[in-house]
Amino acid sequence: MAKNRRTWLTFSVAAAMVMVCSAPAWSQESSAQKKLPKLWEDFVHYITIARSDLAKSFGEAILESGAEPRVVYLLASKNSVRTENVLARGERLKGMKDVIVRMRKMLREGLRAEASNPEQIAKAIRQLAGMLQEYQIGLEALKRSGEYSLPQLLQSLSAPGTSARLRERIRTVLPQLGPVAVRGLSAALQSDKPEVLEAVVFALGRIRYRHAAARLKELSLREGLMTSVKLATDSALVSCGGQAALKADASAMFYDLAQKYYYRAESLLPDQRYDTANVWYWQQGLGLIFKPVPRAIFCDIYAMRMARQALAFDQKSQRAVSLWLARSGGR
């Protein structure tokens, strides 16, 4: 009897081990996610009391937990000021620098993932149509999303079911996205929808970012442009490029912008916190889209694009040809 009981126990333990070892990955990941708040709490606590040995172990546990950066970011962002202070303090503790560097990278990746989350952006846009408090919540969320919110915002502008109230609020929000949205907005000037053009032109005129002037000049020369759009475009062109931009040569303006990208003007550099940056396109039927590219080649790509636009207005521009060939490697 005792022998049978020992045999049964041995079998049970073995079976349990098999079940644990063969547990699906999602189950293990789910377990890690559940432990994450406690791990983060302990990580912060031990940095605060300067126990670098324990802080390091909890930091490494978070980094190696398999948790999505977005989830870690959401935990940290509940008190972003305190988190930054804690990380700065942790950086000064012995043996903690590598962990803090990796943690900062994870938080940056998490911030970007949250900012580009299409469901969160769609929710924020819906909130714009609500009462004042809900509008403010949606506005702040869209400002955090920055350029990533542009495709859905512009799509909503021209969607048949969008209310007049939401359209007007989107027009109000676009300028508040600031310079980070200028490249995407400039690409959207290739739209053929008046409601999109008017909103984008208005936003660029309010942001007053000089590097938008070439694209605004291009739009101002488009044939068949509605009078209201033409007037708004000229006004935005003056805001971005000054009065002289009205009579400036479009090819020269694009070449000047290409040169600035070629020489990596500081005002045109992508966000240095990330390894990639977004190149923006307008596709008829699809709207505004972007393609992430390595940050190292971002300026080269835009230099080529602007040089190509310069050639579109003046095919004999040798300097634009030279610059385009320099960036394309002669291809």
Side-chain angles (χ1 to χ4, degrees):
M1 182 76 173
K3 182 179 179 182
N4 290 340
R5 191 166 184 273
R6 284 197 301 273
T7 303
W8 181 83
L9 284 172
T10 302
F11 174 79
S12 298
V13 171
M17 290 181 67
V18 169
M19 289 176 67
V20 169
C21 293
S22 61
W26 63 264
S27 177
Q28 295 172 21
E29 184 178 340
S30 176
S31 176
Q33 300 280 9
K34 289 177 181 177
K35 294 177 182 177
L36 202 58
K38 178 60 175 168
L39 290 175
W40 179 262
E41 182 183 330
D42 289 338
F43 173 64
V44 169
H45 171 71
Y46 286 115
I47 287 179
T48 303
I49 65 172
R51 285 295 305 273
S52 59
D53 54 338
L54 293 173
K56 182 178 180 180
S57 66
F58 282 108
E60 288 174 341
I62 293 170
L63 292 166
E64 295 166 11
S65 68
E68 294 179 14
R70 175 174 170 267
V71 177
V72 180
Y73 164 76
L74 289 174
L75 270 176
S77 64
K78 290 178 180 177
N79 191 335
S80 55
V81 174
R82 184 188 180 205
T83 294
E84 181 51 42
N85 290 338
V86 166
L87 292 177
R89 179 171 182 156
E91 218 163 14
R92 296 191 292 269
L93 294 178
K94 184 179 179 181
M96 284 289 293
K97 187 171 182 179
D98 178 63
V99 169
I100 297 298
V101 168
R102 290 165 62 200
M103 189 66 71
R104 285 188 188 279
K105 183 178 180 182
M106 175 177 268
L107 292 175
R108 286 196 302 270
E109 291 172 356
L111 168 61
R112 203 173 205 187
E114 176 66 8
S116 60
N117 186 321
E119 292 178 2
Q120 294 298 324
I121 293 170
K123 178 183 176 182
I125 293 173
R126 290 194 299 270
Q127 289 173 318
L128 292 181
M131 302 303 287
L132 183 59
Q133 184 177 5
E134 194 174 12
Y135 165 79
Q136 289 293 343
I137 293 172
L139 170 62
E140 291 306 314
L142 291 168
K143 286 164 72 173
R144 287 193 297 273
S145 291
E147 63 180 344
Y148 289 103
S149 65
L150 286 175
Q152 289 193 57
L153 282 168
L154 298 183
Q155 187 178 49
S156 296
L157 266 177
S158 57
T162 302
S163 67
R165 182 182 194 179
L166 181 54
R167 281 197 176 93
E168 186 55 38
R169 287 189 169 179
I170 290 174
R171 281 175 56 91
T172 304
V173 166
L174 287 174
Q176 298 186 58
L177 300 181
V180 70
V182 166
R183 270 183 279 258
L185 288 169
S186 297
L189 291 175
Q190 296 173 63
S191 172
D192 57 2
K193 297 178 179 179
E195 63 271 24
V196 171
L197 291 175
E198 288 185 351
V200 170
V201 164
F202 172 76
L204 290 172
R206 292 291 296 273
I207 296 171
R208 303 184 69 178
Y209 197 60
R210 186 171 184 83
H211 302 309
R215 284 295 190 187
L216 286 165
K217 180 69 177 182
E218 179 183 32
L219 177 61
S220 74
L221 298 174
R222 185 187 299 180
E223 293 183 4
L225 207 59
M226 286 178 55
T227 303
S228 59
V229 177
K230 168 65 175 169
L231 291 173
T233 302
D234 287 345
S235 176
L237 180 55
V238 171
S239 294
C240 294
Q243 195 71 31
L246 291 173
K247 295 183 179 180
D249 177 67
S251 179
M253 292 177 73
F254 275 111
Y255 174 74
D256 179 65
L257 186 53
Q259 267 202 318
K260 285 182 169 60
Y261 275 110
Y262 180 82
Y263 290 110
R264 287 161 167 69
E266 188 175 350
S267 58
L268 289 170
L269 293 178
D271 195 325
Q272 301 297 301
R273 295 175 299 171
Y274 303 112
D275 295 330
T276 62
N278 298 328
V279 176
W280 289 91
Y281 304 85
W282 182 269
Q283 287 194 4
Q284 299 300 338
L286 288 178
L288 190 63
I289 60 174
F290 66 88
K291 179 181 179 182
V293 300
R295 195 179 69 223
I297 65 170
F298 174 81
C299 285
D300 291 338
I301 290 172
Y302 266 99
M304 287 176 61
R305 293 180 78 186
M306 297 304 107
R308 188 169 62 244
Q309 288 305 115
L311 288 168
F313 283 99
D314 181 4
Q315 297 180 6
K316 297 179 180 180
S317 176
Q318 290 301 314
R319 57 183 187 171
V321 170
S322 298
L323 193 150
W324 188 86
L325 290 175
R327 289 300 87 193
S328 65
R331 293 190 298 272

